[in-house]
Amino acid sequence: MLFGQSVFQSVLTRLKQEHSEDEAEEAGSGFRIKGLGMGFVAPQDDGPVVTATGTEAYFAFLPDVAEIAIESVLAQEAPAPVIPAHLLRLTTEEIAAELDITAADTEATLGEKRRHFAKANHPDGVAPEFRENANTRMKTANLLIDTAIKGLFWR
């Protein structure tokens, strides 16, 4: 079998042969649940053998407990998210007060203020229900910071 084949190819051929022999043996012994990775056989009281992998194998011995646990998790309702207080401040004056832009600010400090503000207010970082407010806050903050940076060059 090694002649004319690489070692790797001979191993693959042998594994295919063993796999086909295993399938032939299992054909009459029960049913098989296919999954990922290696599995183990869980005997049941009524006779058939169940081959399961991963989570299926873990719950094969306790099917009633698994169903109850899954149903209880699905039945729980997630509480409605509460909007953070800072996302309710949408006026230009409120956002300007948060940014605290002064005449002493440089382009570097304004960039740092932009990053700090974006870390707490970026639309990608909040719940979908609050993205519109976060988007408004980010647009306003960017406008204020860009205007301040532009003012640095006109001094």
Side-chain angles (χ1 to χ4, degrees), residues 137-155:
R137 285 177 56 80
M138 283 302 301
K139 284 180 186 177
T140 305
N142 283 328
L143 176 69
L144 291 169
I145 292 170
D146 290 342
T147 303
I149 289 173
K150 189 182 288 184
L152 291 174
F153 294 109
W154 292 105
R155 286 187 206 171

Side-chain angles (χ1 to χ4, degrees), residues 4-24:
Q5 294 181 343
S6 68
V7 175
F8 179 73
Q9 187 61 39
S10 99
V11 170
L12 287 178
T13 305
R14 187 187 58 175
L15 288 174
K16 286 181 185 177
Q17 289 172 351
E18 289 176 4
H19 183 67
S20 63
E21 290 171 5
D22 289 343
E23 285 182 354

Side-chain angles (χ1 to χ4, degrees), residues 87 90 121-123 126 130-142:
L87 290 178
L90 300 175
N121 295 281
H122 198 278
V126 300
F130 313 134
R131 286 198 178 138
E132 188 175 333
N133 286 19
N135 195 30
T136 301
R137 285 177 56 80
M138 283 302 301
K139 284 180 186 177
T140 305
N142 283 328

Side-chain angles (χ1 to χ4, degrees), residues 88-101 117 136-137 139-145 147:
L88 294 174
R89 295 189 297 268
L90 300 175
T91 65
T92 304
E93 293 78 20
E94 291 171 323
I95 295 170
E98 273 186 62
L99 290 172
D100 191 31
I101 297 174
F117 191 86
T136 301
R137 285 177 56 80
K139 284 180 186 177
T140 305
N142 283 328
L143 176 69
L144 291 169
I145 292 170
T147 303

